[in-house]
Amino acid sequence: MAGGQPEREDKVSLELTEEILQSMEVGMAFRDYNGRISSMDFHKTSSYLVTASDDESIRLYDVASATCLKTINSKKYGVDLVSFTSHPTTVIYSSKNGWDESLRLLSLHDNKYLRYFKGHHDRVVSLSLCSRKDCFISGSLDRTVLLWDQRAEKCQGLLRVQGRPAAAYDDQGLVFAIAFGGYIRMFDARKYEKGPFDIFSLGGDMSEANVVKFSNDGRLMLLTTSNGHIHVLDSFRGTLLSTYNVKPISSNSTLEASFSPEGMFVISGSGDGSVYAWSVRSGKEVASWMSTEAEPPVIKWAPGSLMFVTGSSELSFWIPDLSKLAAYVGRK
C-alpha cells in the first residue's frame, strides 16, 4: 500500500509531547506466553524486537508488520536476559537454570549456537552490548563485571564489585557505567583497567542497583534501584537531576525504566505492576497506567518511534490514541 507510506512517516515525525504521551494505550498485545517476559531488546537499525520469557522461549518480532517471526525454545538452559548484536538475527542471552551461567551467542536465523562465553559463577543480572565494536559487558551476582569480545570465548577483562552490579555502555560505546552500593562508576571503554574516571553519588540511596541506562545523546543517565527509586543524572557532571519514586520491588524482580528517544521523558515500571511517565525537564509525573499485575513489567521505548513496549505475562505495544489527540488538537 504505497499510498499509506508517507502518512506513517508523518506520524513518526510528530514530536513527543506530554499530550501524546498521555494518549498512549495498548494498540496490540501478544498474549500467548506461558510465563513472564524477563527481558527484551530492540535492534537499533532494523524493525526487530526480541523477547526472553520464563516459559524458556526466545521470540523474534517484526514491529513494522506486528508479527512474531520466530520462536526458539531454550529448554536446556532457560533464558533470562537477551540482547541483539549488531546483526538483526543474532542475540546474546543469559541462562536461567542455576547450574550453567555461560552467556550464549545464538543465531535466530538457523537456531545455531555460535559461541559460549564462560566466566560467571552466579546469575547474570546485567548485559549491555557496545554499539561501536563487537564488545559487551555482563554483571553477575558473583560480584564481577566481565568484559567480552564476541569473537572470543574467554573474557577480556574483569572488574570486581561489592554487591549486585548494573552495567551499561553509552550509545557511542566510548564509556560504560557500573552501578552498585549507592554510586555509579564511569569507565573509559578503552582504558577501563585504569579504574573509574569518575564516581557519581546517588544521594544516599544504598538499595540494590537494578538497571542503568544512558539517553540516546549520552547526556543523561538513569538508574533504578530495588526500593523503587529512578534516579536521573547528568552523565558528564554526575549531578542528580531528579529522583522519581514508584512502589518497591520484590527481591526476584527487576525494576526497568527507559528514556524516550530524544531524552525528554522517562517511562518506568513499578513494584505494583503500573507504568509511569515523567518529564525530565520538570521532574513531574505526566502519565500513569494502572495494572492488574503485581510485578514490574520490563519496558523499552522503540528507537525513533512514538511507541513503547512492555513485557509482563504478555507483550504490549503502546501507541498514541489518535482519536484522543484529535480532540486535543480541536481544543487548541
Side-chain angles (χ1 to χ4, degrees):
M1 192 177 114
Q5 207 51 41
E7 190 193 16
R8 210 184 103 204
E9 284 169 16
D10 287 351
K11 268 185 217 161
V12 171
S13 64
L14 265 177
E15 197 180 319
L16 180 62
T17 60
E18 289 189 16
E19 286 80 16
I20 289 178
L21 197 50
Q22 286 157 0
S23 84
M24 291 179 85
E25 55 183 45
V26 177
M28 179 163 189
F30 290 88
R31 300 191 168 90
D32 54 345
Y33 285 84
N34 297 313
R36 284 190 70 80
I37 296 167
S38 54
S39 172
M40 58 191 181
D41 190 30
F42 282 99
H43 190 262
K44 280 198 168 59
T45 54
S46 73
S47 58
Y48 286 176
L49 167 75
V50 66
T51 66
S53 162
D54 292 349
D55 65 12
E56 299 171 328
S57 70
I58 296 170
R59 305 188 194 198
L60 179 68
Y61 296 86
D62 183 351
V63 176
S65 60
T67 50
C68 181
L69 302 178
K70 187 157 274 196
T71 300
I72 287 177
N73 291 306
S74 174
K75 293 290 181 203
K76 185 174 173 188
Y77 304 110
V79 54
D80 196 5
L81 303 178
V82 66
S83 282
F84 278 112
T85 64
S86 56
H87 194 280
T89 59
T90 310
V91 298
I92 293 175
Y93 77 93
S94 68
S95 55
K96 196 176 194 174
N97 57 19
W99 53 269
D100 183 341
E101 304 302 342
S102 303
L103 294 150
R104 291 175 176 76
L105 182 64
L106 173 68
S107 164
L108 300 174
H109 172 66
D110 49 9
N111 192 11
K112 280 204 168 71
Y113 290 114
L114 307 176
R115 196 155 288 115
Y116 298 88
F117 305 99
K118 292 180 167 39
H120 283 302
H121 304 293
D122 203 342
R123 189 160 75 92
V124 173
V125 291
S126 192
L127 180 63
S128 178
L129 273 72
C130 176
S131 58
R132 224 167 32 103
K133 299 204 303 246
D134 287 337
C135 303
F136 65 100
I137 47 178
S138 57
S140 163
L141 296 179
D142 66 13
R143 298 193 165 201
T144 65
V145 172
L146 300 182
L147 291 93
W148 308 87
D149 183 317
Q150 285 179 38
R151 297 159 297 195
E153 293 198 353
K154 288 201 164 52
C155 73
Q156 309 295 297
L158 180 153
L159 297 161
R160 294 195 187 280
V161 296
Q162 284 90 47
R164 173 185 169 136
Y169 280 99
D170 75 324
D171 214 45
Q172 265 81 46
L174 297 173
V175 301
F176 60 83
I178 301 177
F180 62 89
Y183 294 89
I184 302 176
R185 288 162 171 79
M186 306 291 287
F187 293 83
D188 182 329
R190 293 156 302 189
K191 303 189 288 234
Y192 63 85
E193 60 284 343
K194 291 196 160 80
F197 65 81
D198 220 335
I199 301 180
F200 302 153
S201 166
L202 294 168
D205 180 2
M206 300 301 286
S207 65
E208 264 188 351
N210 268 221
V211 169
V212 66
K213 284 182 187 172
F214 288 86
S215 59
N216 287 347
D217 63 8
R219 291 178 185 193
L220 300 172
M221 56 198 307
L222 64 77
L223 174 73
T224 68
T225 62
S226 58
N227 62 5
H229 294 324
I230 298 121
H231 302 288
V232 177
L233 301 93
D234 176 314
S235 61
F236 294 114
R237 297 191 191 89
T239 325
L240 193 54
L241 303 174
S242 289
T243 296
Y244 315 128
N245 300 305
V246 297
K247 291 274 190 310
I249 58 161
S250 62
S251 58
N252 53 358
S253 297
T254 296
L255 181 63
E256 188 169 32
S258 181
F259 284 108
S260 61
E262 70 316 301
M264 300 269 288
F265 299 97
V266 169
I267 50 170
S268 170
S270 168
D272 62 3
S274 309
V275 172
Y276 293 91
W278 299 269
S279 159
V280 170
R281 196 172 285 155
S282 72
K284 291 188 166 64
E285 181 188 312
V286 294
S288 64
W289 298 269
M290 296 306 117
S291 164
T292 53
E293 303 258 348
E295 278 187 70
V298 288
I299 187 162
K300 289 239 170 30
W301 200 282
S305 174
L306 288 179
M307 177 173 73
F308 67 86
V309 177
T310 56
S312 50
S313 54
E314 49 193 55
L315 180 66
S316 304
F317 294 81
W318 299 72
I319 53 173
D321 177 348
L322 296 174
S323 63
K324 283 185 195 164
L325 285 175
Y328 160 72
V329 171
R331 277 207 320 272
K332 251 183 161 172

